[in-house]
Amino acid sequence: MSVEVEEKMLDTPENSARPISAQGDEVAKFRAAVISKLTYAVGKNPAAASDRDWFLATAFATRDRIVDRWITSTRQTYSEGRKRVYYLSLEFLIGRLLFDALTNIEMLETARSALGDLGVDLDRLRQVEPDAALGNGGLGRLAACFMDSMATLSIAAYGYGIRYENGLFRQMIKNGWQHEYPEDWLSFGNPWEFERPEVYYDIGFGGSVEAIAVGGDRKKQVWHPAETVEAVAYDTPIVGWRGRHVNTLRLWSARAADPIRLDAFNQGDHVGALVNQVKAEAISKVLYPSDATPAGQELRLRQEYFFTAASLHDLIRRHVDSFGDVRSLPDKVAIQLNDTHPAIAVAELMRVLVDENDIAWDEAFDITVRTISYTNHTLLPEALETWPVPLMERVLPRHMQIIYQLNAKHLERVRTEFPGDDALLGSVSLIQEDHGRRVRMGNLAFLGSHSINGVAALHSDLMTTTVFKDFYRLFPERMNNKTNGITFRRWLYQANPGLTNLLVEVCGPGVLDDYSQLTKLEALAGDSALQDRFMAVRRQNKVALARLIRDRLDIKVNPGALFDVQIKRIHEYKRQLLNVLETIALYDAMRANPAKNWAPRVKIFSGKAAASYQMAKLIIKLANDVAKVVNDDPTVRDLLKVVFLPNYNVSLAEMVIPAADLSEQISTAGMEASGTGNMKMALNGALTIGTLDGANVEIKQHVGDDNIFIFGLTAAEVEARRAAGVDEAESIRNSHHLGEVLDAVGSGVYSPDEPDRFKPLVDALRYHDYFLVTTDFDAYWDAQRKVDARWNNRSAWWQSSLINTANMGWFSSDRTISEYAKDIWNVPVRTIR
């Protein structure tokens, strides 16, 4: 059957997933609401309305249905005096919200029918909505999944972050190179948010600290900031499953206290008059501004303090209004730091308690520790943020004083308990003394928190022997594991409605509420009729992705081929380079023996490289140069295609993940904290090829050794190999394929216009292969040939695919959040079963 015929079938009503029948009266009410919003909120006549107008009207009508529930949830939280959770994260990758909201309030089919009556296609409107550019990758998407689950479990929670006007960047690929452009997602407004101009806080920077006598020998420290920036609140309601509870995502936008210097403007200095406004508003312009310059470093620090301080002021105000006494903060407030970005919260909360509420130091520190908890997301020491002491002293002088005092008391205790252990003192100090004095934000977060958790079992274990080995000696009771999870509402029900319908039919409707019901699928995994239906759903998703690839890249791919997918941030430790090199070796092998029974493949890459990360950008260029050669070669025809999809975001992931057959999770063992893309693809039936790293370890335990392709060195073996010295030359010499591949890349076979283009990549592999690509290459090649064999055994592949879906229930973010609630936050959860 041709792709074109299958595409037409996808567009027919018979293939539309409609798990909930639309009721006539609800359809009429929603239709009337949309017309009303189009007229009075958008200001358009239906006859002249564009798709964007219809999207806005539909979003406003949907939002109205959420607001009543939002207000009810908030009132209930206040009336019951419930403890609140505050989740501080520099990223919230929430993606498009229209289908998310309609799905969670069980109105998707109502909206589809109502708009259909008006001659409007809801699926077309879905494409109009921009992705909220509030995050980059796994960290931000995890925060979004957690917000969904906290609402679903009726946990009273706020998410706090920054309302970025331009987010990270919009990635465009030109001649194979990544180019960065502003992501103007707010250019047409955001119908989901509520601006709260009355909710703002003055956030100070710089200035001086004055010691004022307050009686006897006691002195009070008073910070006099040199600059003040206003943090203005914007609220987005986050609705839980079936709309039973709605929480708030509060994002802060930076605004100059004095937007224009009128004296300078009237003197003709029209640009200079706006300098203060530009400097202030830069804080909420861009996610992760480059820190390659001192100005970039300062802006990042200002961003982190800005949103953290505003969030703490806001939650303390709410707490005092409700409970009167800031001393009861640990009983009614749980603050979760998502990574080290908000770690300055420890010093800021101490400042507020000591300086603004006159609480004694030791009591203030006790309150701080019992209120704050910290999630670590990395085992890379260089990824644990540090800030130069001179920068901190200039930008946050009072906080630097507090950090010094915290450190002095901390080291005094360590010195008492471990006399003579100078190495321990140096390791756990909040100040790094070598190579320039720097404040260690990971150490600050650990010291100021009562709970520190990793995000996968292996990651949490390695934390105790690597980045926080010495802190674990001091505070073993603080460390715990909370394996990440994903929200099925987004990554199954919304992204893969065809599979959702099949699961409801096979496992029963209870599967929509109780993720453990997925296990019913395993007993039927060997049923050939079920395999056929499962395969048909995947085929539809692959045809849809093939159409997207053709439309965006003008590359035709075979939906019958194995879709081999690696979608994640481009980084050397994630080893997209290993995948590209194996692709070249496979291409060479196919050309040498075209008659062999190869498993046809489409290699799909997507992800962004940090703007200043040159090696990662070179890997993107290599992937695109290899794609150009392979895709233009008639020898391999439909046997092999290589695709790099630009501008990876949530919406693109929703297209790729349901179509993935093979999930590439091939990071150097011991370097990936958890991963959540591995969970999303396995939930949708993809088989994983990966190292024993991050959550791959737990996925293997749940799906079974026969239903996952594990290869390569373990974390312990990686450490031992590095300690002994990596012998790249021996690995290359012993490989049947790698030497030829590196010679081809290094000599310009894939870059004839610039033969030395990829020399830095090849030299790194030959002489300093820190990420052990050369060591693991042959094991990866062999694992891929096992993938070929399984793919060619139709029944075996689809049985493994079904077993993967059946055993992914444990990886629900509802489970993860339930564990946070019980073990860290001490808040109740409501079961959704």
Side-chain angles (χ1 to χ4, degrees):
M1 186 182 295
S2 72
V3 175
E4 288 75 12
V5 171
E6 290 187 84
E7 287 176 0
K8 291 178 181 178
M9 289 178 63
L10 283 177
D11 295 331
T12 61
E14 291 78 12
N15 284 282
S16 297
R18 302 191 177 191
I20 302 170
S21 60
Q23 301 298 317
D25 55 342
E26 281 298 310
V27 169
K29 288 178 183 177
F30 193 77
R31 184 171 62 242
V34 170
I35 291 294
S36 175
K37 290 298 180 183
L38 183 70
T39 304
Y40 299 110
V42 184
K44 282 293 184 75
N45 183 330
S50 66
D51 281 350
R52 186 176 298 279
D53 298 328
W54 283 111
F55 158 69
L56 289 173
T58 305
F60 286 136
T62 304
R63 192 180 74 171
D64 285 354
R65 301 294 182 101
I66 295 171
V67 166
D68 288 337
R69 307 168 195 239
W70 191 19
I71 292 172
T72 299
S73 298
T74 303
R75 282 176 177 166
Q76 188 174 4
T77 297
Y78 273 100
S79 65
E80 295 176 358
R82 296 171 62 186
K83 186 175 185 178
R84 288 183 174 90
V85 173
Y86 294 100
Y87 197 83
L88 273 62
S89 179
L90 200 61
E91 299 183 42
F92 285 95
L93 200 57
I94 57 177
R96 294 169 174 165
L97 290 181
L98 178 59
F99 269 56
D100 193 60
L102 288 170
T103 299
N104 279 359
I105 63 174
E106 301 178 274
M107 287 194 61
L108 183 60
E109 296 312 312
T110 298
R112 192 187 302 278
S113 297
L115 290 167
D117 293 344
L118 296 168
V120 177
D121 182 358
L122 177 61
D123 292 307
R124 198 169 70 242
L125 299 190
R126 185 183 196 177
Q127 305 307 315
V128 171
E129 181 177 6
D131 270 59
L134 299 172
N136 174 29
L139 181 80
R141 186 52 229 173
L142 180 76
C145 285
F146 279 6
M147 287 299 296
D148 178 286
S149 284
M150 283 188 274
T152 293
L153 297 172
S154 294
I155 295 172
Y158 268 75
Y160 279 123
I162 295 179
R163 180 181 180 267
Y164 302 104
E165 291 183 35
N166 299 113
L168 184 67
F169 56 79
R170 177 166 49 91
Q171 181 195 55
M172 293 186 67
I173 303 297
K174 295 184 177 181
N175 192 29
W177 291 102
Q178 171 180 294
H179 292 262
E180 302 91 24
Y181 295 89
E183 187 67 89
D184 54 349
W185 71 288
L186 288 171
S187 58
F188 289 93
N190 178 7
W192 302 108
E193 69 183 8
F194 292 83
E195 183 180 3
R196 308 295 193 196
E198 75 284 4
V199 180
Y200 69 93
Y201 299 95
D202 291 332
I203 309 301
F205 296 98
S208 60
V209 181
E210 179 184 7
I212 300 176
V214 291
D217 294 333
R218 184 166 170 262
K219 291 186 176 181
K220 181 176 182 177
Q221 304 297 323
V222 178
W223 179 26
H224 301 290
E227 175 192 357
T228 298
V229 176
E230 291 179 354
V232 182
Y234 286 76
D235 290 351
T236 300
I238 303 296
V239 59
W241 178 234
R242 301 200 187 277
R244 294 176 185 138
H245 186 87
V246 183
N247 281 325
T248 303
L249 174 61
R250 175 160 285 184
L251 303 176
W252 302 103
S253 183
R255 182 175 69 189
D258 297 309
I260 185 171
R261 285 184 51 210
L262 206 55
D263 57 339
F265 190 88
N266 288 332
Q267 291 172 11
D269 187 5
H270 302 148
V271 174
L274 298 173
V275 166
N276 290 339
Q277 179 187 15
V278 171
K279 184 179 180 182
E281 294 181 358
I283 290 174
S284 55
K285 287 288 184 186
V286 175
L287 169 65
Y288 298 138
S290 173
D291 59 358
T293 65
Q297 284 189 19
E298 180 175 339
L299 179 55
R300 280 208 190 188
L301 177 59
R302 284 163 64 90
Q303 280 186 329
E304 293 179 7
Y305 177 66
F306 166 81
F307 101 88
T308 302
S311 304
L312 288 178
H313 281 292
D314 194 51
L315 69 88
I316 290 172
R317 171 198 56 79
R318 187 176 300 108
H319 173 78
V320 172
D321 287 348
S322 297
F323 304 106
D325 187 0
V326 74
R327 286 178 168 83
S328 63
L329 209 61
D331 301 322
K332 294 296 182 180
V333 166
I335 299 172
Q336 188 71 40
L337 308 180
N338 191 30
D339 215 348
T340 54
H341 306 124
I344 194 66
V346 175
E348 174 66 4
L349 185 52
M350 287 294 294
R351 186 190 71 80
V352 171
L353 294 173
V354 173
D355 295 357
E356 297 182 3
N357 288 274
D358 294 321
I359 295 177
W361 183 273
D362 289 344
E363 183 182 3
F365 187 60
D366 178 67
I367 292 171
T368 297
V369 171
R370 289 194 293 126
T371 303
I372 294 176
S373 47
Y374 158 56
T375 300
N376 172 270
H377 286 277
T378 183
L379 294 168
L380 303 177
E382 64 272 19
L384 289 172
E385 283 188 319
T386 63
W387 297 111
V389 167
L391 175 63
M392 287 283 288
E393 289 177 328
R394 178 167 53 83
V395 176
L396 300 172
R398 176 56 182 146
H399 299 77
M400 198 62 237
Q401 286 184 347
I402 291 170
I403 290 170
Y404 278 133
Q405 192 168 348
L406 284 171
N407 200 41
K409 288 181 173 289
H410 164 55
L411 294 182
E412 182 181 351
R413 180 200 162 200
V414 175
R415 195 176 288 110
T416 301
E417 294 184 8
F418 300 89
D421 196 338
D422 292 340
L424 177 63
L425 287 172
S427 172
V428 301
S429 174
L430 304 185
I431 310 296
Q432 175 184 308
E433 301 290 348
D434 55 331
H435 302 100
R437 300 174 69 242
R438 302 178 73 89
V439 180
R440 295 164 163 161
M441 303 308 285
N443 286 14
L444 178 64
F446 199 117
L447 182 65
S449 301
H450 68 275
S451 169
I452 295 86
N453 71 278
V455 291
L458 176 64
H459 170 230
S460 297
D461 287 343
L462 289 173
M463 281 171 59
T464 67
T465 60
T466 57
V467 289
F468 289 126
K469 174 182 65 176
D470 291 320
F471 265 103
Y472 182 60
R473 290 176 60 191
L474 303 180
F475 305 104
E477 74 286 352
R478 293 188 184 183
M479 294 191 68
N480 62 94
N481 177 60
K482 297 289 173 281
T483 298
N484 282 344
I486 57 173
T487 173
F488 291 6
R489 272 78 65 182
R490 171 77 72 153
W491 298 108
L492 183 59
Y493 310 159
Q494 218 176 298
N496 201 344
L499 178 55
T500 302
N501 288 343
L502 179 59
L503 293 174
V504 169
E505 183 179 336
V506 174
C507 302
V511 74
L512 295 173
D513 296 299
D514 180 1
Y515 50 77
S516 69
Q517 297 295 310
L518 280 173
T519 56
K520 294 179 180 178
L521 200 62
E522 184 164 16
L524 304 171
D527 182 87
S528 60
L530 179 59
Q531 291 177 5
D532 287 343
R533 298 177 67 192
F534 195 78
M535 180 173 58
V537 170
R538 176 74 57 75
R539 176 80 182 195
Q540 285 192 350
N541 296 332
K542 292 170 72 172
V543 169
L545 180 58
R547 177 169 52 190
L548 181 145
I549 292 170
R550 185 195 62 198
D551 291 347
R552 294 191 182 182
L553 301 176
D554 196 26
I555 298 172
K556 289 186 178 181
V557 300
N558 174 17
L562 185 154
F563 278 20
D564 179 348
V565 173
Q566 189 172 19
I567 44 175
K568 51 185 73 231
R569 178 168 52 95
I570 309 297
H571 197 289
E572 288 170 279
Y573 90 81
K574 294 179 183 289
R575 299 203 296 191
Q576 285 91 352
L577 182 56
L578 175 61
N579 193 349
V580 174
L581 296 178
E582 193 274 338
T583 301
I584 295 172
L586 179 61
Y587 171 58
D588 290 341
M590 285 178 169
R591 287 190 300 166
N593 190 1
K596 187 176 178 179
N597 186 28
W598 298 103
R601 283 191 189 235
V602 179
K603 289 271 195 174
I604 299 172
F605 297 87
S606 193
K608 297 178 181 179
S612 58
Y613 193 172
Q614 294 306 316
M615 289 293 272
K617 296 174 89 166
L618 198 56
I619 291 169
I620 291 176
K621 175 60 173 170
L622 177 60
N624 280 286
D625 282 356
V626 170
K628 188 173 186 300
V629 172
V630 171
N631 297 342
D632 288 346
D633 188 341
T635 307
V636 293
R637 298 181 303 279
D638 278 344
L639 279 179
L640 183 64
K641 295 287 186 180
V642 182
V643 172
F644 189 98
L645 283 165
N647 205 39
Y648 182 59
N649 57 21
V650 176
S651 296
L652 182 56
E654 289 174 343
M655 290 292 295
V656 175
I657 287 170
D661 293 309
L662 187 68
S663 166
E664 298 270 357
Q665 310 296 329
I666 59 176
S667 54
T668 309
M671 302 193 74
E672 185 73 81
S674 172
T676 55
N678 46 8
M679 303 170 191
K680 294 162 193 166
M681 285 190 268
L683 173 66
N684 282 274
L687 274 58
T688 300
I689 182 169
T691 53
L692 277 176
D693 197 25
N696 291 354
V697 176
E698 287 146 297
I699 291 176
K700 175 177 175 286
Q701 292 167 355
H702 282 81
V703 305
D705 294 358
D706 294 336
N707 303 299
I708 189 171
F709 302 95
I710 296 297
F711 73 93
L713 300 180
T714 64
E717 289 168 342
V718 166
E719 186 178 358
R721 185 65 60 94
R722 286 173 175 164
V726 179
D727 192 342
E728 300 92 345
E730 182 183 12
S731 296
I732 296 169
R733 187 168 54 249
N734 291 338
S735 173
H736 292 295
H737 305 279
L738 186 54
E740 291 182 5
V741 170
L742 293 179
D743 288 343
V745 173
S747 64
V749 169
Y750 296 94
S751 55
D753 57 321
E754 187 183 346
D756 289 338
R757 177 182 299 149
F758 300 115
K759 189 173 184 296
L761 289 178
V762 174
D763 286 350
L765 294 178
R766 289 189 183 278
Y767 308 116
H768 185 63
D769 185 15
Y770 181 76
F771 301 101
L772 299 170
V773 171
T774 55
T775 307
D776 274 350
F777 179 86
D778 276 7
Y780 180 55
W781 169 270
D782 292 342
Q784 288 284 21
R785 304 295 71 78
K786 292 177 183 177
V787 170
D788 288 341
R790 184 76 58 86
W791 180 258
N792 286 329
N793 184 340
R794 175 191 170 285
S795 179
W797 182 275
W798 292 107
Q799 181 170 342
S800 289
S801 183
L802 281 159
I803 288 173
N804 267 263
T805 296
N807 287 283
M808 290 306 294
W810 188 81
F811 293 93
S812 166
S813 53
D814 294 347
R815 185 268 314 158
T816 311
I817 288 299
S818 294
E819 292 179 3
Y820 273 95
K822 176 179 177 288
D823 300 336
I824 299 177
W825 302 332
N826 190 28
V827 296
V829 301
R830 186 198 66 200
T831 179
I832 60 172
R833 297 181 185 179

